[in-house]
Amino acid sequence: MSLLIPDTGLLFWMLLSFGIVFFVLAKYGFPVIVRMVEKRNKYIDESLAKAKEANEQLSKLKAETEALIAHADKEQGRIFKEAMQEREKIINDARREAKEAAQKELNLAKKQIQKEKDEAIREVRRQVAVLSVDIAEKVIRKELNTDTAQMAMIERMIDEATKKSS
């Protein structure tokens, strides 16, 4: 058997582990992520609609401002300045709110993804640890099948323990 060609049993267990992890992610992870993304898209669409309404309101304010300009030259500068400041404020507020909301949703999605990733990694590590213990047990049983091999192993472990403690 070559070191580069894995055993069929190992391939089987690797494929089985991968299949289980993929199934768990497909069943529980991906729907949550998709829901969060759809919820975020809906919130952004609503924010854009609100921004559009704000722009329409600003257009109305601008028209009213122009009518006041025609009636009163003296009030012209003040009214125009207020309308422009209000427009900028509404646009900036809408943009800021949309950015904050999008960032919050993105952070939530990232946290959820990281949590699920960590959980999957822990599960894989647990499975690898169990497999490693099983393999080590089989190797030790094979190597210690005679009384002389067992006694040699015990003496070697005692020697190593005394060397480490000194």
Side-chain angles (χ1 to χ4, degrees):
M1 170 153 292
S2 172
L3 291 176
L4 298 177
I5 301 173
D7 189 25
T8 56
L10 177 61
L11 285 174
F12 170 76
W13 288 111
M14 285 172 54
L15 286 174
L16 181 65
S17 297
F18 176 78
I20 291 170
V21 169
F22 183 78
F23 174 76
V24 169
L25 284 175
K27 180 91 173 157
Y28 300 105
F30 295 141
V32 171
I33 293 169
V34 169
R35 268 194 312 256
M36 295 296 286
V37 169
E38 289 174 354
K39 186 177 178 183
R40 187 177 123 234
N41 283 340
K42 182 180 176 185
Y43 185 81
I44 290 171
D45 289 341
E46 290 173 358
S47 296
L48 289 174
K50 288 178 183 178
K52 186 176 180 181
E53 288 176 17
N55 282 333
E56 291 173 3
Q57 289 176 356
L58 288 175
S59 297
K60 290 177 184 178
L61 285 175
K62 190 174 181 181
E64 291 174 7
T65 303
E66 291 174 358
L68 290 175
I69 289 172
H71 294 298
D73 265 341
K74 189 175 182 182
E75 296 291 319
Q76 177 181 353
R78 186 179 63 84
I79 293 173
F80 184 72
K81 184 177 177 182
E82 287 177 6
M84 292 305 290
Q85 287 175 347
E86 185 68 23
R87 176 179 175 257
E88 289 300 320
K89 181 182 175 188
I90 291 172
I91 289 173
N92 289 337
D93 288 347
R95 284 182 183 162
R96 182 180 42 82
E97 288 177 8
K99 283 181 183 178
E100 289 174 0
Q103 189 62 39
K104 284 180 184 178
E105 293 295 328
L106 183 62
N107 289 343
L108 286 174
K110 284 181 181 179
K111 286 179 184 178
Q112 183 68 23
I113 289 169
Q114 186 63 37
K115 181 180 174 184
E116 291 173 4
K117 177 183 168 186
D118 291 344
E119 188 176 318
I121 288 172
R122 276 192 299 256
E123 181 61 29
V124 168
R125 284 184 179 165
R126 274 191 233 118
Q127 291 177 2
V128 167
V130 168
L131 288 174
S132 297
V133 168
D134 289 345
I135 290 170
E137 179 184 354
K138 289 178 182 178
V139 167
I140 289 175
R141 280 187 186 165
K142 184 177 179 182
E143 288 182 2
L144 300 177
N145 57 3
T146 65
D147 289 340
T148 57
Q150 290 175 0
M151 290 306 291
M153 175 72 131
I154 291 171
E155 288 176 11
R156 189 174 71 228
M157 292 177 109
I158 291 172
D159 289 341
E160 287 176 4
T162 56
K163 287 180 185 176
K164 286 182 182 178
S165 64
S166 3

